[in-house]
């Protein structure tokens, strides 16, 4: 899919009939609203989804929708259309939104008020069958499993994120700004005792124009018009970079097959989404899996000498959108554009949604079709994981052999060839995550709770139940990888993970005393004093999750080398084929603002997370 990034503006206009050109006049009648997040336009091979405003933005009379019955004022009886509809979150449902969509001649836009607590019954604007047409199951491979015929993975999915709306839709936090809107509506626009509100009325302007239209092929063709005197980029591919590291150095300059090399891929995704761009907390859907894998990689850093197989830690970006990251890795492996090829892959362990429930149970999912092939030894991988969990406060079980794989990166590898693989999830069948791919899949959904009396530093150090549980999962993953890569069971119990600091960093506050130690001085400003936004952007930009995962993985798996800052940079340039060198800030000195900086050498690498369709220029594939 393609996304065109553009500026978005939200204004409240207090007098719709009097808008002058003078700045002083403008300042008197406009109020800019803060913390607003737009629904954006996205394209794929066949159509467009999402939202956008007209070129100059859209203006409408503010109407606070207080109940579904009140819709008639917007869609029929109200005398002053078009309306800017303010929705409380409880009314942000598919039935109401579809009524507004079909009455779009009277709807100028919608603003959804984000609640202060999560809806108890759940909410997911994603589809009920995520990545339905881009996984392994099809008419030619396990047709009985295609289209979620056996398991509807996301039963709460409304599909709202995949609808097209021809008016702008924004989200706003329930704060002083939303109270301004409510008061403006009550004082100027609300009908009292059947009366008709009189001008001047309170109105709102929304601007979120996107130039991309129709589908990817059309938009890319418009962007590539030859001999244009004023070339214009009207759409950009979604994408960033995948992140990987290996337990032993791999020559990244020599691409393709490496004779005698056998690797176990340990995978997790690092993206999520919601209906609104730039608000994708992805707590269970994304963060639990990637934090568990990061913690497992750290736990194994001193145990890799005993292994006769290499573990390849791989973090895929863009998996929410038709498996962008994993499909690119498979493509690169098949075309000798990666440090290894598919013949080097021994097996795959993927960590998915692994927030533990009250029963502390996880499920080992595998593909029933490839398991019919005697050469695909999933049993050994599953057995190693069961052994790894022994003595921990979790239980691992396997679904019925007729259960297909849930949405997972493993599916893209199975499209290329049968490879033994297991996906660890916290659900046997349908997701236990009630907030999949929504703004509510956040720290609250994991009960990551802190006393209000704790300082930020005390919160960082506080060990929540969620962190304890995830540490058990990470330890099981690390020990399972240790056994699968050839480690002896006698040495397994020395492998112990810790996910505490990372869970806080991704889901509560990215900028903290721990994370500030891990970054280079030049990139310290990239740390944000809020949860990570896991929404993938366009390929020119470095996204938050990629920056965070790359930085943390390098520090957790790398070693400190005793060189100067200048030599650290020089070695980064001279030995780029085996190692990655980075000068990091290090910890603060006691009672000082100075830091003890140092050089970290690691095997962390990046490669493109951009759909192969843009390499092949096959935009309708």
């Amino acid at each position: 899919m393609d996304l065109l990034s553009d500026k978005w503006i939200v204004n409240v206009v207090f007098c719709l009939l009097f808008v002058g050109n003078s700045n002083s006049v403008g300042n008197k009648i406009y109020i800019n609203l803060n913390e607003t997040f737009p629904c954006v336009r996205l394209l794929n091979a066949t159509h467009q989804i999402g939202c956008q405003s007209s070129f100059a933005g859209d203006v409408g009379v503010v109407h606070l929708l207080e109940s579904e019955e009140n819709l008639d004022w917007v869609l029929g009886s109200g005398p002053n259309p078009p309306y800017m509809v303010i929705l409380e979150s409880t009314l942000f449902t598919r039935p109401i939104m579809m009524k507004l969509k079909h009455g779009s001649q009277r709807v100028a836009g919608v603003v959804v008020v984000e609640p202060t607590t999560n809806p108890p019954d759940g909410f997911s604007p994603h589809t009920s069958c995520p990545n339905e047409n881009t996984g392994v199951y099809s008419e030619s491979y396990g047709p009985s499993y295609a289209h979620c015929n056996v398991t509807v993975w996301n039963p709460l999915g409304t599909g709202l994120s995949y609808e097209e709306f021809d008016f702008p839709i924004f989200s706003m936090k329930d704060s002083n700004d939303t109270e301004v809107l409510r008061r403006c509506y009550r004082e100027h626009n609300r009908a009292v005792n059947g009366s008709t509100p009189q001008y001047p009325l309170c109105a709102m302007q929304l601007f979120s124009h996107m130039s991309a239209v129709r589908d990817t092929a059309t938009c890319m063709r418009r962007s590539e018009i030859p001999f244009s005197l004023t070339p214009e980029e009207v759409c950009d591919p979604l994408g960033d970079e995948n992140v990987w590291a290996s337990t032993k150095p791999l020559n990244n300059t020599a691409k393709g097959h490496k004779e005698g090399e056998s690797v176990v891929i340990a995978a997790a995704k690092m993206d999520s989404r919601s209906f609104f761009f730039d608000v994708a907390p992805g707590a269970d859907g994304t963060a639990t899996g990637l934090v568990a894998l990061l913690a497992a990689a750290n736990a194994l850093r001193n145990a890799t000498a005993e292994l006769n197989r290499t573990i390849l830690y791989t973090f895929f970006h863009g998996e929410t959108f038709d498996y962008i990251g994993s499909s690119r890795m498979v493509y690169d492996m098949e075309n000798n554009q990666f440090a290894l090829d598919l013949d080097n892959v021994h097996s795959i362990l993927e960590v998915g949604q692994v927030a533990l429930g009250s029963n502390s149970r996880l499920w080992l999912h595998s593909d029933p079709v490839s398991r019919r092939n005697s050469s695909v030894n999933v049993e050994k991988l599953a057995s190693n994981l069961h052994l790894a969990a022994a003595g921990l406060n979790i239980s691992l079980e396997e679904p019925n052999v007729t259960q297909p794989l849930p949405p997972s990166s493993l599916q893209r590898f199975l499209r290329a060839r049968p490879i033994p693989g297991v996906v660890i999830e916290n659900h046997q069948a349908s997701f236990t995550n009630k907030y999949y791919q929504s703004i509510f899949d956040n720290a609250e959904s994991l009960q990551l709770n802190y006393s209000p009396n704790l300082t930020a530093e005390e919160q960082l150090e506080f060990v929540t139940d969620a962190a304890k549980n995830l540490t058990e999962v990470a330890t099981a993953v690390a020990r399972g990888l240790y056994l699968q890569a050839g480690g002896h069971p006698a040495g397994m119990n020395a492998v112990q993970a810790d996910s505490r600091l990372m869970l806080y960093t991704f889901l509560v506050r990215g900028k903290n005393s721990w994370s500030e130690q891990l970054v280079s001085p030049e990139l310290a400003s990239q740390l944000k004093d809020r949860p990570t936004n896991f929404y993938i952007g366009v390929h020119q930009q470095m996204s938050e999750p990629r920056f965070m995962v790359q930085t943390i993985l390098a520090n957790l798996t790398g070693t400190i080398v005793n060189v100067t800052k200048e030599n650290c940079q020089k070695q980064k340039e001279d030995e780029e084929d085996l190692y990655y060198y980075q000068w990091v800030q290090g910890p603060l000195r006691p009672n000082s603002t100075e830091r003890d900086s140092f050089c970290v050498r690691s095997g962390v690498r990046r490669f493109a997370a951009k759909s192969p369709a843009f390499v092949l220029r096959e935009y309708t594939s």
Side-chain angles (χ1 to χ4, degrees):
M1 285 190 167
D2 304 294
L3 164 67
L4 180 76
S5 289
D6 224 318
K7 292 183 178 179
W8 36 83
I9 302 172
V10 180
N11 292 321
V12 176
V13 191
F14 283 97
C15 178
L16 185 61
L17 297 182
F18 181 57
V19 181
N21 294 322
S22 165
N23 286 336
S24 59
V25 173
N27 290 336
K28 292 178 180 178
I29 61 175
Y30 282 94
I31 294 177
N32 292 325
L33 301 180
N34 303 309
E35 288 195 284
T36 59
F37 304 96
C39 162
V40 296
R41 169 63 50 81
L42 295 158
L43 312 174
N44 68 7
T46 58
H47 62 290
Q48 64 187 27
I49 62 173
C51 324
Q52 72 164 15
S53 72
S54 60
F55 183 77
D58 295 297
V59 177
V61 173
V62 171
H63 182 79
L64 178 64
L65 193 67
E66 297 174 286
S67 68
E68 187 169 357
E69 290 72 25
N70 195 227
L71 267 175
D72 179 65
W73 184 270
V74 175
L75 301 178
S77 62
N80 301 306
Y83 288 98
M84 283 290 177
V85 181
I86 312 301
L87 279 182
E88 302 293 353
S89 62
T90 54
L91 298 177
F92 183 49
T93 64
R94 182 177 180 86
I96 288 179
M97 290 305 298
M98 296 308 289
K99 289 177 181 178
L100 292 173
K101 173 180 176 175
H102 296 309
S104 60
Q105 296 301 311
R106 293 178 57 89
V107 178
V110 172
V111 172
V112 181
V113 179
E114 183 181 333
T116 54
T117 59
N118 288 357
D121 295 331
F123 175 78
S124 174
H126 206 75
T127 62
S128 61
C129 190
N131 286 0
E132 178 177 357
N133 299 309
T134 50
V136 67
Y137 301 114
S138 64
E139 283 64 33
S140 59
Y141 187 100
S144 62
Y145 303 123
H147 310 297
C148 293
N149 285 334
V150 173
T151 303
V152 177
W153 296 108
N154 186 35
L156 293 178
T158 65
L160 269 179
S161 289
Y162 289 84
E163 289 289 340
E164 180 189 0
F165 298 90
D166 60 2
F167 47 76
I169 304 176
F170 280 72
S171 168
M172 286 181 59
K173 289 189 177 296
D174 193 352
S175 61
N176 291 337
D177 282 346
T178 52
E179 186 53 37
V180 167
L181 288 176
R182 293 187 181 103
R183 186 172 64 251
C184 188
Y185 168 75
R186 290 192 298 264
E187 293 177 355
H188 297 274
N189 296 13
R190 189 174 190 175
V192 179
N193 297 325
S195 63
T196 300
Q198 301 297 311
Y199 284 102
L201 299 173
C202 180
M204 174 178 278
Q205 179 185 34
L206 300 179
F207 180 89
S208 62
H209 180 69
M210 305 278 163
S211 299
V213 295
R214 193 170 178 178
D215 54 43
T216 300
T218 302
C219 200
M220 293 302 291
R221 185 171 63 248
R222 289 176 60 195
S223 295
E224 297 169 355
I225 296 175
F227 313 118
S228 173
L229 296 178
T230 57
E232 180 184 7
E233 292 289 333
V234 292
C235 53
D236 291 303
L238 286 176
D240 195 286
E241 290 180 302
N242 298 316
V243 177
W244 66 274
S246 54
T247 51
K248 78 172 188 180
L250 292 175
N251 190 327
N252 194 42
T253 301
K255 306 294 185 182
H257 186 71
K258 286 184 169 50
E259 197 63 38
E261 189 68 67
S262 177
V263 302
V264 178
I265 293 179
K269 70 174 184 177
M270 55 180 176
D271 70 293
S272 182
R273 72 167 298 198
S274 75
F275 187 85
F276 301 101
F277 184 66
D278 269 353
V279 190
D284 188 17
T286 301
T288 56
L290 73 85
V291 166
L293 187 54
L294 285 169
N298 182 43
L300 287 167
R301 69 186 299 172
N302 296 321
T304 57
E306 309 159 32
L307 309 181
N308 54 34
R309 292 190 186 96
T310 300
I311 302 173
L312 190 74
Y313 306 112
T314 310
F315 297 85
F316 294 118
H317 216 340
E319 296 300 271
T320 299
F321 295 101
D322 301 336
Y323 303 116
I324 289 174
S326 56
S327 64
R328 181 55 180 266
M329 184 174 188
V330 172
Y331 174 84
D332 286 351
M333 282 184 158
E334 290 179 317
N335 290 276
N336 295 322
Q337 296 298 311
F338 189 70
L340 302 159
D341 68 7
L342 289 171
D343 288 333
N344 292 124
V345 180
H346 173 269
S347 51
I348 298 174
L349 173 60
E350 181 173 349
V351 190
Q353 303 180 88
V354 290
L356 289 178
S358 57
N359 57 14
S360 298
R361 182 183 300 171
L362 294 176
W363 297 86
L364 307 181
H365 295 265
S366 59
D367 170 40
V369 178
S370 61
R371 289 187 70 159
R372 298 169 193 159
N373 187 331
S374 59
S375 65
V376 180
N377 189 0
V378 174
E379 289 77 10
K380 180 62 175 175
L381 177 53
S383 174
N384 283 333
L385 288 166
H386 283 294
L387 181 58
L392 297 174
N393 294 321
I394 57 174
S395 64
L396 298 183
E397 299 186 31
E398 296 179 60
N400 189 288
V401 292
T402 60
Q403 175 77 38
L405 276 173
S408 53
S409 306
L410 175 58
Q411 293 201 30
R412 294 300 300 193
F413 285 86
L414 292 174
R415 282 178 58 139
R417 63 173 60 185
I419 297 174
V422 163
V423 182
I424 303 179
E425 301 273 4
N426 57 15
H427 54 90
Q428 177 183 7
S430 299
F431 296 161
T432 58
N433 184 354
K434 298 189 299 182
Y435 307 108
Y436 184 74
Q437 304 286 359
S438 82
I439 61 176
F440 306 116
D441 188 12
N442 53 22
E444 179 189 338
S445 71
L446 299 186
Q447 298 182 342
L448 200 64
N449 302 319
Y450 299 92
S451 167
N453 298 324
L454 295 178
T455 65
E457 191 65 25
E458 289 170 337
Q459 288 183 4
L460 175 65
E461 296 295 332
F462 182 76
V463 183
T464 63
D465 289 340
K468 291 177 185 176
N469 291 337
L470 196 59
T471 293
E472 293 287 281
V473 176
T475 301
V477 169
R479 293 177 180 178
L481 289 169
Y482 173 84
L483 296 173
Q484 186 69 4
H488 195 278
M492 178 185 71
N493 289 338
V495 176
Q496 178 65 45
D498 181 5
S499 67
R500 170 176 43 92
L501 299 174
M502 288 177 281
L503 198 62
Y504 178 89
T505 297
F506 281 103
L507 296 183
V508 180
R509 187 171 287 108
K511 182 179 181 180
N512 57 64
S513 61
W514 178 71
S515 62
E516 287 178 318
Q517 298 177 40
L518 310 182
V519 300
S520 64
E522 297 79 18
L523 294 177
S525 61
Q526 297 290 328
L527 296 173
K528 307 297 183 184
D529 192 22
R530 55 164 173 73
T532 302
N533 169 36
F534 287 104
Y535 206 125
I536 190 171
V538 295
H539 68 103
Q540 299 99 327
Q541 302 171 349
M542 178 176 67
S543 65
E544 283 182 51
R546 192 261 283 178
F547 161 66
M548 297 292 288
V549 168
Q550 176 186 338
T551 298
I552 294 173
L553 183 62
N555 282 269
L556 296 185
T557 61
T559 57
I560 298 174
V561 289
N562 188 21
V563 297
T564 64
K565 182 177 181 180
E566 292 72 21
N567 285 336
C568 186
Q569 181 64 36
K570 183 176 185 297
Q571 285 179 298
K572 177 181 176 181
E573 297 168 354
D574 290 346
E575 300 184 35
E576 202 167 32
D577 57 338
L578 288 179
Y579 296 106
Y580 172 76
Y581 291 78
Q582 184 177 16
W583 185 260
V584 301
Q585 292 193 133
L588 285 169
R589 295 171 186 167
N591 302 317
S592 173
T593 58
E594 299 295 318
R595 292 183 176 272
D596 289 323
S597 302
F598 52 86
C599 184
V600 174
R601 184 185 73 181
S602 73
V604 172
R605 299 288 176 189
R606 308 187 307 268
F607 67 100
K610 183 179 176 183
S611 171
F614 295 96
V615 180
L616 300 169
R617 301 173 69 84
E618 294 179 358
Y619 305 129
T620 59
S621 64

